[in-house]
Amino acid sequence: MGMDGYLRFVLALIFVIALIGVFAVIFRRLGFGFPSHAMKPAAERRIGVVEVAPLDSRRKLVLVHRDGVEHLLVVSPTSEVVIERNIRSGADFRDALDAARDADEIAGTGDSQT
């Protein structure tokens, strides 16, 4: 196989890749495949994954954001468990501690020495 065989192979490969691209564009225009209007711009999205942390080889801890509220989940191949609901998005940890302390004081269960 000489140089002309290699050149034919490269040209045939380029032709096949271009043909696949043309068919992909045609099928997309006809409405097959993933609809482009299904994805909203980032500013308009209501749901998203904020962070994922592995717990072990099978389970992951996932923080999901929805409509300004976050939910903490444990996801495994066989189940999903909600750990905490209605976490305020962007809430400062110090604010959460102060709110919990105030709630304990109002309920009368807080430590009166602080």
Side-chain angles (χ1 to χ4, degrees):
M1 186 153 107
M3 203 57 168
D4 61 336
Y6 289 119
L7 182 62
R8 260 195 257 165
F9 173 75
V10 170
L11 290 177
L13 181 65
I14 291 172
F15 176 74
V16 168
I17 291 173
L19 200 59
I20 290 171
V22 167
F23 278 123
V25 169
I26 290 171
F27 285 142
R28 169 85 39 118
R29 297 261 172 130
L30 292 175
F32 297 107
F34 189 77
S36 60
H37 59 81
M39 289 296 292
K40 294 183 179 181
E44 295 179 16
R45 292 187 192 149
R46 295 180 54 208
I47 191 168
V49 175
V50 176
E51 193 170 341
V52 177
L55 291 175
D56 55 28
S57 63
R58 298 179 56 90
R59 297 180 300 163
K60 295 179 184 176
L61 194 62
V62 181
L63 185 62
V64 178
H65 177 84
R66 180 204 44 91
D67 291 336
V69 179
E70 294 176 349
H71 304 281
L72 189 62
L73 311 169
V74 173
V75 179
S76 71
T78 58
S79 67
E80 297 82 25
V81 179
V82 177
I83 301 297
E84 187 173 355
R85 300 172 193 256
N86 301 326
I87 304 169
R88 288 184 300 147
S89 180
D92 186 28
F93 183 67
R94 180 67 58 194
D95 293 339
L97 287 178
D98 291 341
R101 186 185 70 230
D102 293 342
D104 285 345
E105 288 175 0
I106 290 171
T109 60
D111 189 8
S112 62
Q113 295 179 2
T114 56

